[in-house]
Amino acid sequence: MASKTFTVTVQSTGGGNKYFIDGVQQKALTLFEGSSYRFDQSDSSNGSHPLRLSTTSDGTHNSGSEYTTGVVTNGTPGQAGAYTEITVADNAPTLYYYCSSHSGMGGQALTEAPQDFTITVVSTGGGNKYFVDGVQQATLKLAKGA
């Protein structure tokens, strides 16, 4: 099961058709190693716009190749149940999502390793305080699903 599902639609813009991910044109994504992500292409606007992944911006339209490690596709874009899903491998490269039929539609998907934290509680003059990786009450950047 996907840890995160992105809703994919296609809209015509002044620069041609573009993918919209969760309503954002060519949204830059961050994908965490070990997590699964589903690109739901069941919306009818996806007809004739198969979403694929590559290590090259614009994929096969820019002399790249389709990235297939951990990737599963299902159904026909624009029809119920259609999706592309990836389980991000350890040390995966930066990826780009693109339309295998038309150039210029996609965007970037950075891959990152999830970070582990060591949490301790230390008694200080002001009472007990949380320390994160040895820093008192550190500010953390957390990503849903990671």
Side-chain angles (χ1 to χ4, degrees):
M1 182 170 184
S3 62
K4 167 82 175 137
T5 298
F6 298 111
T7 300
V8 181
T9 56
V10 175
Q11 295 180 30
S12 179
T13 69
N17 286 333
K18 304 293 181 193
Y19 281 126
F20 281 67
I21 307 293
D22 293 340
V24 177
Q25 181 179 332
Q26 295 172 295
K27 183 176 183 176
L29 305 173
T30 300
L31 309 179
F32 289 93
E33 296 171 6
S35 293
S36 296
Y37 300 89
R38 181 172 288 186
F39 296 86
D40 179 354
Q41 285 203 279
S42 60
D43 186 86
S44 63
S45 66
N46 285 282
S48 78
H49 300 293
L51 185 144
R52 298 296 182 257
L53 297 165
S54 179
T55 58
T56 305
S57 179
D58 213 17
T60 56
H61 306 289
N62 192 24
S63 300
S65 59
E66 183 178 344
Y67 181 85
T68 58
T69 303
V71 177
V72 175
T73 59
N74 184 69
T76 301
Q79 297 183 7
Y83 64 82
T84 297
E85 184 171 299
I86 181 170
T87 300
V88 183
D90 289 344
N91 300 310
T94 294
L95 297 173
Y96 299 86
Y97 59 93
Y98 72 101
C99 175
S100 63
S101 299
H102 308 96
S103 66
M105 291 182 58
Q108 187 177 50
L110 295 174
T111 59
E112 292 185 11
Q115 184 176 352
D116 293 325
F117 299 101
T118 300
I119 310 293
T120 55
V121 177
V122 177
S123 179
T124 67
N128 290 338
K129 302 291 181 181
Y130 285 110
F131 281 69
V132 180
D133 290 339
V135 178
Q136 181 178 338
Q137 297 172 322
T139 300
L140 302 177
K141 179 183 175 186
L142 303 176
K144 184 177 180 179

